Amino acid sequence: MLFRMIKGVLIRQWSKMLLIAFTIALGASLATSMINVMLDVGDKVSQELKTYGANIVVKPRDASLMADLYDVEDENGTLSAAYLPEEEVGRIKTIFWTYNIVDFAPFLDTTVTLPSGATATVQGTWFNHHLDLPTGESVDAGVAGMRSWWDVTDGAWIDEQTPGAENSVMVGTELATRENLKAGDMLKLSGTTGDREVTVAGIYDAGGDEDSQIYAPLGLVQALTGREGKVASIEVSALTTPDNDLARRAAQNPKSLSQRDYDTWYCTAYVSAICYQITEVIPGSVASAVRQVADSEGAILDKTQLLMILITVLSLIGSALGISNLVTASVMERSQEIGLLKAIGAHDRAITGAFMAEILITALVGGVAGYFMGFGFAQLIGQGVFSSAIEMKPLVIPIVAVLIALVTIAGSMPAIRMVLRLDPAEVLHGSKA
Amino acid sequence: MSLLELKNISKIYGELKALDNVNIHVDQGEWVAIMGPSGSGKSTMMNIIGCMDKPTLGEVLLDGVDIAKESSKKLTDIRRDKIGLIFQQFHMVNYLTAVENVMVSQYYHSMPDEKEALDALGRVGLRERAHHLPSQLSGGEQQRVCVARALINHPELILADEPTGNLDEANENIVLDLFAQLHAEGTTLIVVTHDPEVADAAQRTIVLEHGKVAREVINENFEAQQKEWLARLKG
Ligand SMILES: Nc1ncnc2c1ncn2[C@@H]1O[C@H](COP(=O)(O)OP(=O)(O)OP(=O)(O)O)[C@@H](O)[C@H]1O
Ligand SMILES: [Mg+2]
């Protein structure tokens, strides 16, 4: 009978129940998407920040001094000492905070003359360079990971593992348009110490200066300039902890710290600590933070998560209020029916039980629908904000279920109080004809 | 044998004495009508007898138990086990069919039994309309479903507050026939009414005025009437 009664409500009053289910679905969908995004966002944000490029730049000490003091660019080898050895680049992966080093790539640039007579800057770098570390591990490092926001409009990224890669280049979209180049074309580059016939592997749109440049394998530029085994700078992308007072003091001079402070600092992933450790492993180098990104990384993460928790809590409060309105209205509408059931001999517990059963079934329907809606929202957020799918963690299902149950029960409380207080004599004689 | 006894009952709302020192005695199997002008306290008294309200003062003995002193939970049980209620408005659960409305009463009492519920609807002449929703039934038909629901658990006492107030002649007669039958089966009936015809069908009429019992009228013709009713029903 209980079943028939609940069925009667659900089938014959479906439009009201649908409204309640919809309110619950909205809350559930926001909670689902926010919790999923929240659980996924740590990775996503650091990936996102990584796509904004390096947060540490390593330069030779001399070059850095010259550039900082005289504000001159390192042009055409006038400062012949200002290079780092390519073979030492991999040592970045041997520092204490090795697992915080997400990616890195060495750079060596030069200016070449194209067949049309125009000149262009060529950046020699690693794309997906395979490294075997002294620790026995191996990594792939290079710009393929650090320039992930690039849009390759024609052709593909250079894959250093395929034969012929050493004579391939990637051309910026502006330059490609100007020189009428497309993927697969042959191109002659004339450098200071020689020429090279190369294949255009891909055209990229970076949305900046790089669009009028050429990206080439490091070895190619080294050959064009006669600087075998040398690199001019290294870009490093590292996960860092936001700076605090200690980090700022240390950044000025680590030697000024007490031993205990020094240990704390060294063993925390402050950007200054990581820079310091890089300088330790690459002699003659200066590693410095590209401030803005490094500082904000951790803070952005915390703030994003706080925001999402806030949205989740507010949306749940919102649906609790919505449910409470709808359910209370429904109780008022059904007060005669409830009074009647009491008069017939139904105890308060039986009535509230049936009532809660109706609402919880509605909540279940709304919750399941909301979960899938939330799945969609999460993917929209993932695609819109992070350009990648949000991983749906199974853990979220019980969390959302419990939240929705709590919200539904909390939202139904005022209505239940009304049910309990309802006096059958009053409602049954109340509306006198 | 006494089923119901009101001893010095008063119901006071602030200044207003809705019931003022009322004494009433109803025997098992009696058919009593209650009349009186509007506001004289008829519904107030019915609510007290029906265990839906408590008197401010006095005792209400139902089967020897003082229901004025019971907890509301116990009152619900007494109401469920002993009393069938019929109201002027035809209160039905609007998302349940006629037969389901009858079964709800069985459900809270003991066990829903669809066959028995259909028989009860048959008694009120609605066997054919058992699977209609209240919105698909006329007022008279709805009230007959309410009568079926009131009698389904075989209560000792049926309390009807203006059961025919919203009915036409034909439906009023159907309901009165049912009351005659129930009386013949030994059920005690207390019927509030404004309609002298309905009151005349009862054995005894109690008239309330300003919350007091103004007078009682015994129906001398009752035996003869009852025979006539039953003969007509059988015929
Ligand atoms: N809950 C209440 N609070 C205050 N006064 C009430 C309450 N219930 C009833 N009364 C008053 O008690 C008096 C008796 O009311 P009651 O409903 O018993 O009258 P009645 O005889 O049934 O009238 P009617 O024939 O119009 O149904 C009325 O004056 C009414 O206004
Ligand atoms: Mg009344």
Side-chain angles (χ1 to χ4, degrees):
Chain A
M1 194 63 218
L2 183 64
F3 174 72
R4 268 170 98 156
M5 288 169 73
I6 291 170
K7 200 179 85 182
V9 171
L10 296 181
I11 291 176
R12 296 180 190 133
Q13 311 223 313
W14 62 270
S15 56
K16 270 173 222 144
M17 298 324 260
L18 196 69
L19 210 59
I20 296 176
F22 183 70
T23 311
I24 292 168
L26 273 185
S29 67
L30 274 171
T32 305
S33 55
M34 285 303 147
I35 293 172
N36 268 307
V37 170
M38 205 152 64
L39 292 178
D40 217 30
V41 83
D43 300 344
K44 286 279 185 287
V45 167
S46 42
Q47 266 170 28
E48 180 73 359
L49 289 168
K50 200 182 94 185
T51 64
Y52 287 123
N55 50 2
I56 294 172
V57 171
V58 188
K59 286 187 174 160
R61 176 166 295 141
D62 298 347
S64 128
L65 268 179
M66 297 311 260
D68 289 354
L69 287 177
Y70 306 111
D71 198 22
V72 291
E73 279 299 307
D74 170 23
E75 285 282 334
N76 298 332
T78 43
L79 296 163
S80 55
Y83 294 99
L84 295 169
E86 184 182 353
E87 68 205 27
E88 286 178 7
V89 174
R91 291 194 194 168
I92 287 172
K93 260 310 218 186
T94 63
I95 66 168
F96 180 81
W97 282 111
T98 176
Y99 292 111
N100 283 42
I101 305 290
V102 179
D103 216 333
F104 56 98
F107 285 88
L108 180 67
D109 62 312
T110 186
T111 305
V112 295
T113 310
L114 301 175
S116 67
T119 58
T121 303
V122 181
Q123 298 284 358
T125 188
W126 291 349
F127 288 86
N128 57 340
H129 196 75
H130 188 78
L131 280 177
D132 290 311
L133 301 177
T135 56
E137 290 168 85
S138 61
V139 290
D140 284 332
V143 288
M146 296 175 76
R147 298 281 191 273
S148 51
W149 73 93
W150 277 14
D151 186 10
V152 178
T153 54
D154 188 17
W157 277 100
I158 291 174
D159 179 0
E160 292 187 25
Q161 266 64 253
T162 57
E166 61 279 6
N167 280 319
S168 303
V169 297
M170 295 184 72
V171 181
T173 170
E174 254 179 69
L175 184 65
T177 315
R178 223 184 306 136
E179 298 293 321
N180 198 19
L181 292 169
K182 57 184 191 307
D185 286 355
M186 297 300 287
L187 178 67
K188 193 169 158 216
L189 304 179
S190 311
T192 43
T193 60
D195 296 348
R196 264 295 181 89
E197 189 79 15
V198 297
T199 314
V200 178
I203 310 290
Y204 60 82
D205 184 354
D209 292 348
E210 289 155 327
D211 286 343
S212 53
Q213 298 182 345
I214 296 172
Y215 266 64
L218 186 60
L220 181 65
V221 177
Q222 287 169 342
L224 283 172
T225 54
R227 290 176 189 140
E228 272 78 10
K230 290 175 177 169
V231 305
S233 65
I234 308 165
E235 286 185 11
V236 182
S237 180
L239 298 178
T240 61
T241 308
D243 274 358
N244 60 5
D245 203 41
L246 172 65
R248 275 185 287 276
R249 269 191 294 142
Q252 279 160 14
N253 184 9
K255 305 253 161 20
S256 71
L257 298 176
S258 69
Q259 187 60 38
R260 205 158 135 246
D261 281 354
Y262 178 86
D263 290 343
T264 313
W265 170 73
Y266 197 89
C267 298
T268 309
Y270 296 122
V271 69
S272 54
I274 293 176
C275 286
Y276 182 76
Q277 290 167 13
I278 291 174
T279 314
E280 280 180 335
V281 293
I282 306 180
S285 76
V286 173
S288 50
V290 180
R291 278 287 165 198
Q292 302 85 329
V293 177
D295 277 355
S296 54
E297 185 157 324
I300 285 180
L301 231 160
D302 289 350
K303 281 185 186 146
T304 320
Q305 288 188 335
L306 193 69
L307 183 73
M308 297 202 171
I309 291 173
L310 221 68
I311 293 176
T312 310
V313 169
L314 287 179
S315 76
L316 288 176
I317 291 176
S319 26
L321 289 177
I323 293 167
S324 141
N325 267 335
L326 290 168
V327 174
T328 307
S330 145
V331 165
M332 271 153 64
E333 225 168 86
R334 289 164 67 181
S335 60
Q336 295 226 340
E337 169 199 332
I338 294 162
L340 174 70
L341 295 181
K342 285 191 176 188
I344 284 177
H347 285 289
D348 287 345
R349 191 141 39 92
I351 294 178
T352 49
F355 196 70
M356 279 321 286
E358 277 169 27
I359 291 172
L360 287 175
I361 290 173
T362 310
L364 186 71
V365 172
V368 170
Y371 179 80
F372 287 102
M373 268 158 72
F375 181 85
F377 283 161
Q379 299 316 323
L380 281 180
I381 294 172
Q383 292 302 336
V385 182
F386 305 110
S387 306
S388 66
I390 299 283
E391 193 191 329
M392 299 301 278
K393 305 205 166 47
L395 172 72
V396 174
I397 296 176
I399 294 180
V400 169
V402 168
L403 286 177
I404 289 303
L406 287 178
V407 162
T408 307
I409 291 168
S412 309
M413 274 306 150
I416 296 286
R417 289 229 327 261
M418 277 182 76
V419 169
L420 294 180
R421 282 203 194 140
L422 197 135
D423 176 6
E426 229 160 81
V427 294
L428 296 179
H429 292 290
S431 53
K432 284 181 183 155
Chain B
M1 194 201 130
S2 164
L3 174 72
L4 176 75
E5 208 163 341
L6 305 191
K7 288 185 177 170
N8 307 319
I9 287 295
S10 292
K11 179 75 185 181
I12 301 168
Y13 295 112
E15 297 284 287
L16 180 89
K17 287 189 171 175
L19 291 176
D20 187 2
N21 203 23
V22 171
N23 286 282
I24 286 176
H25 173 110
V26 178
D27 273 336
Q28 187 101 49
E30 242 192 312
W31 181 353
V32 176
I34 295 178
M35 289 191 80
S38 184
S40 56
K42 305 183 298 293
S43 295
T44 305
M45 191 169 88
M46 290 298 257
N47 285 340
I48 291 172
I49 299 170
C51 299
M52 296 201 290
D53 203 351
K54 289 183 183 182
T56 315
L57 298 167
E59 277 180 27
V60 185
L61 296 178
L62 181 66
D63 266 344
V65 178
D66 185 1
I67 57 178
K69 296 200 173 58
E70 294 293 348
S71 71
S72 68
K73 190 162 181 281
K74 191 72 205 296
L75 288 181
T76 303
D77 289 338
I78 295 173
R79 193 161 64 226
R80 182 190 65 198
D81 293 337
K82 301 194 169 165
I83 300 171
L85 293 164
I86 301 168
F87 305 92
Q88 180 172 358
Q89 272 83 39
F90 338 113
H91 297 291
M92 293 179 72
V93 180
N94 58 18
Y95 52 82
L96 294 180
T97 61
V99 67
E100 284 169 341
N101 264 280
V102 176
M103 287 163 71
V104 166
S105 193
Q106 293 177 310
Y107 170 66
Y108 289 118
H109 181 264
S110 44
M111 278 273 283
D113 178 342
E114 186 154 8
K115 200 182 150 299
E116 210 182 310
L118 287 171
D119 288 346
L121 284 176
R123 267 188 90 171
V124 299
L126 288 175
R127 179 67 188 78
E128 303 307 311
R129 321 225 41 166
H131 299 290
H132 287 64
L133 289 170
S135 56
Q136 299 164 326
L137 299 172
S138 75
E141 288 168 335
Q142 288 185 42
Q143 186 65 310
R144 279 145 67 190
V145 175
C146 293
V147 173
R149 184 180 60 204
L151 57 82
I152 187 73
N153 294 323
H154 309 289
E156 282 176 69
L157 174 62
I158 285 190
L159 295 177
D161 193 348
E162 304 218 26
T164 59
N166 288 339
L167 297 186
D168 64 1
E169 184 84 27
N171 274 301
E172 179 176 308
N173 284 332
I174 294 174
V175 170
L176 286 180
D177 285 351
L178 277 163
F179 284 177
Q181 264 183 328
L182 287 168
H183 173 73
E185 287 164 13
T187 309
T188 311
L189 291 156
I190 302 180
V191 182
V192 168
T193 185
H194 277 122
D195 185 343
E197 253 184 73
V198 176
D200 285 348
Q203 264 170 309
R204 177 161 62 111
T205 300
I206 297 171
V207 180
L208 286 184
E209 265 165 31
H210 303 297
K212 294 184 193 220
V213 178
R215 59 185 178 280
E216 289 197 25
V217 183
I218 308 284
N219 184 352
E220 307 290 354
N221 289 336
F222 185 73
E223 295 286 319
Q225 268 174 11
Q226 189 70 6
K227 272 195 191 111
E228 195 190 316
W229 278 112
L230 293 175
R232 191 157 60 76
L233 284 175
K234 280 183 190 126

